[in-house]
Every structure is written in structure tokens, then in C-alpha cells.
Amino acid sequence: MATLLGSESPCTGGKRRNCSSNIVTKFTASKITGQGFSRGTQLPGGLLQERDKRAKWHGIPTLLQKLYESSHPNSDLSHAHSFLKVLSSQLSMEAMSFVTEDRKTAQESTFPNTYTFDLFGGVDLLVEILMRPTLTMQKKKPKMNDDLVKDCLSVLYNCCICEMIQLEGIPNLSGLVQSFDQQQLANFCRILSVTISEPDVGNDDKHTLLAKNAQQKRNASPSRAEVNQVTLLNIPGFIERLCKLATRKVSEATGANFLQELEDWYTWLDNALVLDALMQMATEEAEQSSTESSDESSLATSPLRHRLPQSMKIVHEIMYKVEVLYVLCVLLMGRQRNQVHKMLAEFRLIPGLNNLFDKLIWRKYTASNHVVHGQNENCDCSPEISFKIQFLRLLQSFSDHHENKYLLLNSQELNELSAISMKANIPEVEALVNTDRSLVCDGKKGLLTRLLTVMKREPPDSSFRFWQARAVESFLRGATSYADQMFLLKRGLLEHILFCIIDSGCTSRDVLQSYFDLLGELMKFNIDAFKRFNKYVNTPEKFQTFLTQINSSLVDSNMLVRCIVLSLDRFESQTEDVKVVEVLSECCLLSYMARVENRLSFLFRLINIINVQTLTQENVSCLNTSLVILMLARRKAKLPFYLNALREKEYAEKYPGCLLNNFHNLLRFWQRHYLNKDKDSTCLENSSCIPFSYWKETVSVLLGSDRTSLCAIASYIDEPFMDLDKDLLED
């Protein structure tokens, strides 16, 4: 006992040592005091340092200890900020590697620094620091240093890139978000852009519908991203504040240190691109001012250093809006879409964007001469390009299969739609009648009309064309509206599309695909559109060029092929209409598709370019187009003729059974895929005007096992080549 109480330490058995570094002592003390371990950094510093080298923690637990000790409520946080900057540099490298290395999912990559940071309570500690102002009892809440807030959010953003954070697990998240000013809220959107997005699976076999269906079957419960979306929508006033941030003018932005703001963004955007944008913008601002009033023209002759601040302010605002628009776009595509739509309409997002269109989104003096990459490639865009693409993606998501699409017009344009319907003696669509006129666009032009104007000015291969066409196409998608089509036809859209496909020399497959899809929606069931087509494509050479473009990639053009087939079928049933008969006899496109050998040629190739293992969201339309051709044949009792033609094609090409076995497997997959998805089935019905019950019935007939049935695929495959029992659809 005397020995224990003497000079020798009980912790070391001889050498005196601080007992607070002994983990056994710490656990014993926690039992006595009732204050157990609540974070990994409460472990003894000696133990952390000892394990650091072996575990390759790179000093992160020790830094977190120092951050915690220097961030208590009564400290000035200056020391804490210095520790945070060191941590930030370690985590940002992993986040950047994730972004640049083919955007691997977190499951496919390892992020040891980020994992260690989260393991030892780093995420929770930063949230605690951010929430300090909301926990005070003082009437006037203390304001934290803006740079510290931004660095906290930046580190959390890095963590979100590498690990999916659950927002619902953050205490008092609602109070934290409501305490943000607009600048902090915009920075917070950088974190949200990761936490509410599904991981990018890349361009490999995980992208196939077979793999996606299997994944959905295994994970029936909502994903973390979906849960995070619901959590955000439950925060009072959150969407309203995002709408205000997205639509505020540059002049309304708070006076901040923009140079410091830009410095923070350089880790996410290429420095040269940002600086080039600033210099170009400053020069263009001066050029524009020189053409305006004499008072404003003084800007043109002022030194560059005087012009840069305004340009910096614009780039600063653009960068914020990119993040905000992305968050709104993701929410619009989520399961809570209708709820989000209602709020975006109520808070006048679309009219606000319309008011910004000429002065910020698509400024008149900014020539869109960038030839940038397609939508599936890694993006190293300048701020302005990113902003425009994000804006177009938002419009696409907003308009797609939703009645709120008419908010993209102004009151005069809505009246024009009503007049078109009245002149054609057809009823107005219900969505148009129900549109709240107080929520539509202001000014002389609506947002859709402004978009059409800039769309015609783009260079042939500009990737803006892809997104512009997608945004306009989404306005037409769903149940076909004659008035909507005529509204766009009157503004020269069809001629513009045909120029791009036939005469512009455009070679971008992405752009051509988007224009084929848009042309299909614009012309479907519209006899006036086919008449206009024939007027533009007025020589055999032009028509041959058009066909060559279609045939060069049926995956890209099959939606247009489907439109022509469906329209021809409807027109052939309207022979009492003189105008229809005239166009049927004169239109080279309708005459071409009326020849059965051409329809069969499309059918052969559509079936041959896909199989169950390679089906994706991009090419599954080929399967549905082939089904449309056969459904229309079945209506006219010609299905046996088409199936026999497929059989003869197989033998002529010396691969009997290959085409029909493949088609049989595709239809079996079709049943599993579509009979469990209400949205997809509704889209098929609306786009084709064929009841989904007829789709299902036709597929069942084709898959019939009775080999005496002339409408069953099995009847046309000789026994030696039959391979229908092999199940290729199992996981």
C-alpha cells in the first residue's frame, strides 16, 4: 500500500506519467462520474498518437481534439479556424479525386481521411460549431465569422461527396438552416447537391435496366438521398428562400468581399476558366456600355481594375445560382415532385427566372460560341456555361409531363393558345384552362419564347443545343396538344430543326438525338407539321440527307420513326378530310413510311440492335417503337405477315431463330419492367394514344405458348433453333 501511495506511479509501475493518458483510468473515471465517451477524440492523446502511425490516420484525430478544445462557446474561435483549415486541405484532396476520377461511387472507392474524420466525430463537431449561434439565450444572436462558416460548410461538402450524410440525424437542422443568411444558404446548397443526389453509377453495366431493376428489388426502401429530400422539404420556408436566391438580381446581392468569395470557389472551378470569364465579362460590359447612354459609356474607357468589381459580382452571383438551381432540379425529379411543383409555382420561380433571362442567364452581348462536350462527360465548364446548362435542366424537369408547364408563357401567349384551339374547333386542354394567370411570366415574352429565340442563334455543334432542345421537348411531352404544337410551329421551330439536321453540318450525336426527339413531338399527329416538312424538304437530295441522318443511328432517331408510323396510321383513317388526303399524297416522308418494306426494315434493325443485357434507359425506346409497329399491324390483322417476314429475314441472313429468340426475351423483360411501373406505362399510353391495355394484350399474344397461333412468336421459330426456355432475366 505504501508503495502504491509513494512516488511510483500506479499507471506505469515505476515511471511517473500523467494518468489522463491511460485509457483504463479514463474508463474507470467515466464509471464513477457517469460521463462516458461521447466522441472518438475523447480517447487519450497518447493512445491516438501511438495508433496514428499504424492506422495511417494522418494526425486527424489529434487535430479534431485540438479543434474541439479550441471551439468552446466562450472562445474566439481563431485557433479553431486554423485547425479547421489544416483538416480542410486533407479532406479536399479526396473529394477532388472523387470528382475527377470518373466519379466513382463511394462503395467503389476508399476515402481514408474522410472516414477517419467522420469516425472520430468530425461531422458532428462541425455541426455543433455551426449551431452555436442558435443555442444562445441572448436576444441578439452572436454572429460567427463568415470565413469560419464557409470553411465548415466546405469541409462538410467534401465529406458529403465521399460519404452520404443523413440530414435527419442532424439535431435542430431546421433551426440551423433558418439561421443562415442568403450567402450562407447558397454555400449550404453545395452540401445539399451531394446529399440529395443518387450516386452516379458511371457508364458501365450497372446502368442497364436489368441491373437497375435488380437493385430496386433488393432495396425496396427509400434511399438516403430520397430521405434527405423529404427532410429538406419539411424545413419551413426552405423552398421559398431558394426561389428568392435563384431569382434575385445582381443588384440585390448583399455587399460582400467578392474576391474572398471567389477564392473559396476556386477549389471547385478551374482558376483559368474563372479568370477568363471575369476578363471577358469586364471587356464585354465595357463594349455594351459604349453603345448605351453617354453617362454609362464612361465605363468603356475606365481602367480594367474599375470594371472588374462588377464582373466579379456577376460571376459570384452566377456561382451561387448554379448550386441553387441544381438543388431545385433534383427535388423536381424526386418522389415529392408534385409538392415541389406547387411551391415553385407559388413562389413565382419561373416569372423570376424570366425577368433574369436577358440580363443574366443569357445576356445579349454574350455570344454562345462555346463548343463544349456532351452531357455524359466530366464537366470542366466555366461558371456561365454551368449556369446555362443548369438553368436548361431545370426548365426540362419543370415542364416534363406536368400541367405547370404553361407557367413558362405570359398571358398574351396563353390567349394565343386558346385562339388556336378555337380556330381549330377543338377544346382547350384542361391544364391550360386551370392555369393560374397570376403565376405566369411577365413582360412581352414568356420564358419558352425567349428560349426559342436564343436556341436559333447557337452554333451547330454547341452542346447548349442539346439542353435547349430537351427543355422545349419537355413542354410538348405527354398527351399531344395541337395548340402547343402550332404555337411552336408558328415561331419557325420545325424549319430550324430541319436546318440543323439537314443543312447545318451538325455532327454531334447528342444534339441530333435531341432534335430528332423534339421533331417527333412537334410533328406527331399534326398534318400541318407534315405539310411544312414537305415544303422545307423539297428536293430528293435533302430527303436523302434526312434519311441518312435517321439511319445512321436508330437509337437516336427511333422516337421520330415512331412518330411517323403513328401519324401515318391516324391520317390513313381520316381520308374524308381533303387536307389530309392532299398531304398524304404529296408528303415524301409519309409516302416513304407507307411502303411496307420500309417499315419492315426499321423493325428488323430495331430488334437487332438491342438485347436484354444491353437495355438501358437510352435504348429501351427501340423496343417500344418495334412494339408500336407490331401493334398497328395487329389492328389491321397483319401481325402474322410481319412475324413471318422476321422469320424469312433470319433465314436470308443465315441465322435462323436469332432475331425471334432475342425479341421473345425482350418482351419477357418488357412485362417485368413495365407491369410494375405506373409512370412508365402512363408515358407509353400518352405518347402513343394507344391504351396501355392494348400494349399488354399485344405482348401477351406475342409471347403465347400455343405454337398453332399465327400471332405467337413461338410459331415462327423452328424446333432446332428454339431457345425460349432459357431464363436470361434472373439476377
Side-chain angles (χ1 to χ4, degrees), residues 547-567:
L547 289 180
T548 300
Q549 291 280 46
I550 287 180
N551 289 318
S552 64
S553 177
L554 269 184
V555 172
D556 298 329
S557 63
N558 82 88
M559 294 296 289
L560 176 59
V561 172
R562 190 190 308 181
C563 147
I564 302 168
V565 170
L566 285 166
S567 300

Side-chain angles (χ1 to χ4, degrees), residues 8 67 75 80 190 222 312 398 406 437 529 556 566 649 653:
E8 289 186 341
L67 178 61
S75 66
R190 295 168 63 193
M312 289 162 55
F398 187 87
Y406 291 111
R437 297 287 181 114
D556 298 329
L566 285 166
K649 178 71 173 179
E653 299 290 339

Side-chain angles (χ1 to χ4, degrees), residues 318-374:
I318 283 174
M319 288 174 171
Y320 276 168
K321 288 185 182 337
V322 168
E323 303 292 344
V324 174
L325 293 183
Y326 179 83
V327 169
L328 292 176
C329 187
V330 173
L331 292 174
L332 268 176
M333 296 186 292
R335 293 191 179 186
Q336 314 302 316
R337 186 185 187 213
N338 288 333
Q339 178 188 356
V340 176
H341 246 294
K342 184 178 179 181
M343 290 190 283
L344 297 187
E346 178 185 350
F347 301 132
R348 294 180 56 81
L349 173 68
I350 297 302
L353 292 176
N354 187 47
N355 293 334
L356 287 179
F357 190 86
D358 289 336
K359 294 185 177 179
L360 184 64
I361 300 174
W362 233 283
R363 290 170 297 130
K364 295 178 181 177
Y365 59 86
T366 303
S368 299
N369 56 359
H370 310 280
V371 179
V372 295
H373 48 67

Side-chain angles (χ1 to χ4, degrees), residues 402-438:
H402 203 282
E403 59 185 18
N404 275 352
K405 68 179 185 178
Y406 291 111
L407 298 183
L408 270 64
L409 309 181
N410 64 20
S411 294
Q412 293 79 8
E413 291 164 344
L414 292 177
N415 292 338
E416 183 180 340
L417 286 179
S418 300
I420 292 172
S421 298
M422 184 178 296
K423 183 178 179 180
N425 196 28
I426 56 176
E428 294 182 72
V429 296
E430 187 177 352
L432 176 60
V433 175
N434 294 336
T435 297
D436 186 342
R437 297 287 181 114
S438 68

